[in-house]
């Protein structure tokens, strides 16, 4: 079993990089963001962490990123 808590900073860094690539840099679609994050994590942790663990963290992180981006867009449009 993997230890996501111990690797949390590294995992979050990998997810942030994946979700800030050109193709999804402005996306607010949680599913799309999670897909890019999961692909990135698989390349680093495929042999040491079950897919379900990686998927859960990707979904959580993508939801946070999408919410933050929606708030930023709302703030820009309110000006």
């Amino acid at each position: 079993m993997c230890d996501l808590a111990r690797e949390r900073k590294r995992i979050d860094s990998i997810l942030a990089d994946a979700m800030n690539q050109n193709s999804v840099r402005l996306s607010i679609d949680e599913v799309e963001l999670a897909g890019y994050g999961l692909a990135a994590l698989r390349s680093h942790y495929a042999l040491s962490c079950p897919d379900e663990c990686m998927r859960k963290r990707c979904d959580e992180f993508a939801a946070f990123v999408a919410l933050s981006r929606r708030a930023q867009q709302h703030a820009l449009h309110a000006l």
Side-chain angles (χ1 to χ4, degrees), residues 1-36:
M1 188 69 176
C2 61
D3 186 2
L4 288 180
R6 191 177 59 134
E7 293 281 319
R8 182 82 175 233
K9 286 184 181 182
R10 183 165 188 250
I11 288 168
D12 287 355
S13 176
I14 292 167
L15 291 173
D17 287 344
M19 293 180 192
N20 281 312
Q21 296 299 315
N22 289 336
S23 54
V24 291
R25 191 169 52 87
L26 301 175
S27 177
I28 57 171
D29 182 337
E30 292 176 33
V31 174
E32 180 181 34
L33 290 167
Y36 276 85

Side-chain angles (χ1 to χ4, degrees), residues 4-74:
L4 288 180
R6 191 177 59 134
E7 293 281 319
R8 182 82 175 233
K9 286 184 181 182
R10 183 165 188 250
I11 288 168
D12 287 355
S13 176
I14 292 167
L15 291 173
D17 287 344
M19 293 180 192
N20 281 312
Q21 296 299 315
N22 289 336
S23 54
V24 291
R25 191 169 52 87
L26 301 175
S27 177
I28 57 171
D29 182 337
E30 292 176 33
V31 174
E32 180 181 34
L33 290 167
Y36 276 85
L38 185 58
L41 284 186
R42 281 180 178 151
S43 70
H44 291 274
Y45 293 99
L47 300 176
S48 62
C49 190
D51 209 45
E52 64 193 44
C53 290
M54 291 186 288
R55 184 177 304 279
K56 182 178 182 208
R57 184 61 193 139
C58 288
D59 289 346
E60 292 168 353
F61 198 89
F64 174 76
V65 169
L67 182 64
S68 296
R69 289 179 181 174
R70 283 188 210 109
Q72 288 174 346
Q73 286 180 353
H74 180 71

